[in-house]
Amino acid sequence: MQHWPLGFLICLFLSFLLPGRGHGFTINCSGFDYRGVDPTVFASVIGRKDFRPVLNYSFPTYVNISFTMSSILDVDEQLQLLTSFLWLDMVWDNAFISWNPEECGGIQKISVTTQNLWLPDIFIIESVDVDQTPTGLTAYVSNEGRIKYKKPMRVTSICNLDIFRFPFDQQNCTLTFSSFLYTVDDMLLGMEKELWEIVDTSRNLIMTQGEWELLGINKATPKMSVGSSLYDQIMFHVAIKRRPGLYVVNLLLPSGFLIAIDALSFLLPVESGNRAPFKMTLLLGYTVFLLMMNDLLPASGIPLISVYFALCLTLMVTSLLESVFLTYLLHVVTTQPPPMPHWLYSLVLRYIKATECFNKRSQKENKGPGPNSIHLPGLKDPVVVTEWKPGPGKAGLNGDPQSPWTEPEQQNQRQRTVDMWVKFSLALDTMLFWLYLSFMSSSLTTIIILWKG
Ligand SMILES: *[C@@H]1O[C@H](CO)[C@@H](O)[C@H](O)[C@H]1NC(C)=O
Ligand SMILES: *[C@@H]1O[C@H](CO)[C@@H](O)[C@H](O)[C@H]1NC(C)=O
Ligand SMILES: *[C@@H]1O[C@H](CO)[C@@H](O)[C@H](O)[C@H]1NC(C)=O
Ligand SMILES: *[C@@H]1O[C@H](CO)[C@@H](O)[C@H](O)[C@H]1NC(C)=O
């Protein structure tokens, strides 16, 4: 009997501490009147915002989330970061709040500032920036205690960016929503909207013709275990694609034009000496172009486009070297023609015959001059060249062994050697041109195939 007052006191204390057992959490609506909501009626809710709002702690809180991606602000290849702007929607039930709308003037939902509510601590695991959510946001509270909360977020998240196929690349970035503190015993995540709804609304919002286009979003829901605790999480794989137009117009096309002009400049006669300066100018122009366009390229890694630029530069330098070499060769053989080796002589002869055949055929077919129509102005007819005697060893055939050659005969012989060398140089030029063309087309095809991936 001595203990009765103490038990009574404990009961009193408990009922004071937990006034909401059973239906005790229902808000007394006498505070709702024509002037609006009386703040004192929410005193019971506000006093409990530090605790997870459930009546029985054996049950977890279900938080349903969804988001809308309203813009893709930046993709930083060097730091491997994706900056985007999200509107995060969260819906959960707060068991401490309920009222009867019939008693409360038909009010079914009211807005409450978030400072007065318990909020789930959902964050994005990949995020590397502090949460810059604006303060003073409000949430809708329904008469059944269902809370709808939306917040804008600027998310800078780590994303594994692969720029190999720049500017035709697609990126796949992951946004993982999880609770910072609560394990699966306390909080479970669900989807507020269907995935296609998220994708559709996001696509409609990202109307700006920026650099990035939203391709799609995939979802995965693996649980994350850290030590002995298990956390619920929802992963969204956001696939985005770069719009390559800017880069095609500013980088690929000019480069392609320059390399095409470089290939065409092989048509300039090498013996006129104009070709090497022309190619030099092209090379200079290309270098300036590369310097100016450097800003458009990703700052890290080696994308395929850099290989393409390096290839174009290599082709230009090689063709310049070829022109210089051929100009030098022509200069040497026209001023001091060295004796021609026998095998080379027969080779050139065979080549001349072949081109002669080809030219005759194309003349019959009434075609224009072939690619080998580059001739020195003073070049002898090939028929004359075939009668040429390749060395002084056959001088004995000339009849008079004592004085082998007369002066004009020597002149003739020299002229023939020069002609033969010139023919050889031009043939070499044509051959190197075809080699250049085939190397260029095969390497460009390879690069395009890699780009198509
Ligand atoms: C509601 O509160 C008013 C005064 O604030 C009180 O008179 C009334 O009895 C309460 N109603 C209920 C159902 O508790
Ligand atoms: C909470 O729920 C569990 C499981 O349903 C039940 O065993 C327990 O009695 C409940 N506790 C309270 C205080 O209602
Ligand atoms: C969350 O979503 C599930 C399934 O869609 C639904 O059953 C549940 O009522 C939702 N919970 C909340 C708090 O919206
Ligand atoms: C993105 O990557 C994840 C794995 O990291 C994969 O499961 C998902 O299918 C990818 N999404 C797309 C659209 O490629």
Side-chain angles (χ1 to χ4, degrees):
M1 293 298 277
Q2 286 281 327
H3 298 284
W4 183 79
L6 184 65
F8 177 76
L9 274 180
I10 288 174
C11 264
L12 201 69
F13 177 72
L14 275 181
S15 64
F16 178 73
L17 195 70
L18 302 167
R21 297 210 58 169
H23 294 289
F25 287 110
T26 303
I27 290 169
N28 181 345
C29 252
S30 63
F32 287 79
D33 62 11
Y34 294 112
R35 290 189 307 274
V37 181
D38 184 351
T40 54
V41 305
F42 275 97
S44 60
V45 178
I46 290 165
R48 279 186 200 85
K49 66 168 182 164
D50 296 335
F51 307 101
R52 192 161 64 88
V54 284
L55 299 180
N56 185 340
Y57 267 71
S58 313
F59 295 114
T61 301
Y62 287 90
V63 180
N64 287 358
I65 60 170
S66 82
F67 69 93
T68 306
M69 187 171 265
S70 66
S71 64
I72 297 162
L73 296 172
D74 188 27
V75 175
D76 189 331
E77 291 92 2
Q78 195 175 10
L79 296 176
Q80 301 269 299
L81 293 177
L82 166 79
T83 308
S84 53
F85 203 81
L86 304 184
W87 300 338
L88 178 63
D89 292 16
M90 290 191 270
V91 179
W92 69 96
D93 285 330
N94 187 329
F96 297 159
I97 304 175
S98 69
W99 68 82
N100 186 352
E102 283 167 17
E103 289 172 11
C104 304
I107 296 172
Q108 292 197 324
K109 62 177 184 182
I110 54 171
S111 61
V112 177
T113 55
T114 50
Q115 282 106 312
N116 297 328
L117 290 172
W118 175 89
L119 297 176
D121 57 345
I122 304 293
F123 81 119
I124 295 176
I125 292 180
E126 286 83 11
S127 177
V128 291
D129 214 352
V130 287
D131 190 1
Q132 292 168 347
T133 308
T135 54
L137 292 174
T138 53
Y140 263 129
V141 182
S142 80
N143 66 307
E144 285 159 342
R146 180 151 291 188
I147 296 180
K148 290 193 173 161
Y149 175 46
K150 292 185 183 210
K151 68 171 179 176
M153 297 169 86
R154 185 194 161 102
V155 182
T156 304
S157 57
I158 285 188
C159 180
N160 191 7
L161 299 167
D162 179 11
I163 46 139
F164 179 66
R165 283 166 57 196
F166 173 90
F168 302 102
D169 51 339
Q170 286 181 15
Q171 306 295 348
N172 182 357
C173 294
T174 307
L175 297 174
T176 308
F177 293 83
S178 175
S179 169
F180 203 73
L181 173 74
Y182 295 109
T183 58
V184 282
D185 301 327
D186 290 333
M187 188 182 285
L188 288 175
L189 301 179
M191 292 288 287
E192 224 296 269
K193 282 190 210 157
E194 294 294 322
L195 204 57
W196 63 265
E197 278 181 277
I198 295 178
V199 177
D200 273 11
T201 41
S202 300
R203 263 217 203 102
N204 288 341
L205 271 174
I206 309 178
M207 289 294 279
T208 49
Q209 295 295 307
E211 189 177 345
W212 292 92
E213 183 186 349
L214 182 69
L215 280 187
I217 299 176
N218 282 348
K219 187 191 76 165
T221 52
K223 303 256 189 290
M224 176 179 59
S225 77
V226 178
S228 59
S229 30
L230 203 59
Y231 294 88
D232 199 11
Q233 59 178 16
I234 301 185
M235 282 178 151
F236 294 98
H237 300 299
V238 181
I240 53 177
K241 181 174 176 290
R242 197 192 295 269
R243 291 198 178 94
L246 169 80
Y247 301 99
V248 170
V249 170
N250 282 328
L251 294 177
L252 296 186
L253 278 189
S255 203
F257 285 148
L258 283 177
I259 199 77
I261 294 175
D262 189 55
L264 275 182
S265 68
F266 272 94
L267 290 183
L268 291 178
V270 67
E271 59 273 17
S272 75
N274 277 341
R275 198 200 280 178
F278 184 81
K279 281 184 189 285
M280 191 63 229
T281 319
L282 268 188
L283 191 62
L284 197 66
Y286 194 65
T287 322
V288 173
F289 161 78
L290 281 188
L291 276 181
M292 278 170 54
M293 290 306 158
N294 211 16
D295 295 348
L296 283 180
L297 291 180
S300 68
I302 300 181
L304 205 53
I305 196 167
S306 301
V307 179
Y308 167 76
F309 287 152
L311 180 80
C312 288
L313 200 66
T314 314
L315 282 174
M316 286 182 164
V317 170
T318 318
S319 78
L320 177 64
L321 284 181
E322 191 261 5
S323 298
V324 169
F325 170 68
L326 270 175
T327 314
Y328 168 73
L329 188 67
L330 273 177
H331 171 73
V332 166
V333 299
T334 44
T335 49
Q336 295 166 327
M340 201 171 220
H342 200 82
W343 59 271
L344 192 59
Y345 167 74
S346 51
L347 207 67
V348 174
L349 214 57
R350 211 173 294 164
Y351 169 76
I352 288 171
K353 270 186 185 151
T355 49
E356 202 186 338
C357 260
F358 177 76
N359 280 349
K360 266 185 191 160
R361 203 161 10 123
S362 51
Q363 268 166 13
K364 254 185 229 164
E365 287 165 13
N366 225 351
K367 293 244 172 81
N372 299 314
S373 58
I374 314 162
H375 288 294
L376 266 189
L379 209 64
K380 291 279 187 302
D381 206 64
V383 185
V384 182
V385 179
T386 50
E387 287 165 4
W388 177 71
K389 313 290 188 298
K394 293 189 179 171
L397 294 177
N398 263 0
D400 191 358
Q402 301 304 317
S403 57
W405 288 346
T406 51
E407 192 64 10
E409 191 106 15
Q410 255 180 358
Q411 281 275 325
N412 246 353
Q413 185 69 20
R414 195 184 120 83
Q415 182 61 39
R416 280 171 193 155
T417 319
V418 168
D419 285 351
M420 217 49 192
W421 272 114
V422 166
K423 281 264 173 198
F424 165 72
S425 306
L426 293 183
L428 189 66
D429 186 38
T430 314
M431 199 186 77
L432 288 176
F433 170 62
W434 286 111
L435 205 66
Y436 171 91
L437 266 196
S438 57
F439 178 72
M440 181 169 90
S441 49
S442 59
S443 47
L444 287 189
T445 318
T446 315
I447 283 188
I448 287 172
I449 286 173
L450 282 178
W451 251 325
K452 286 259 169 197

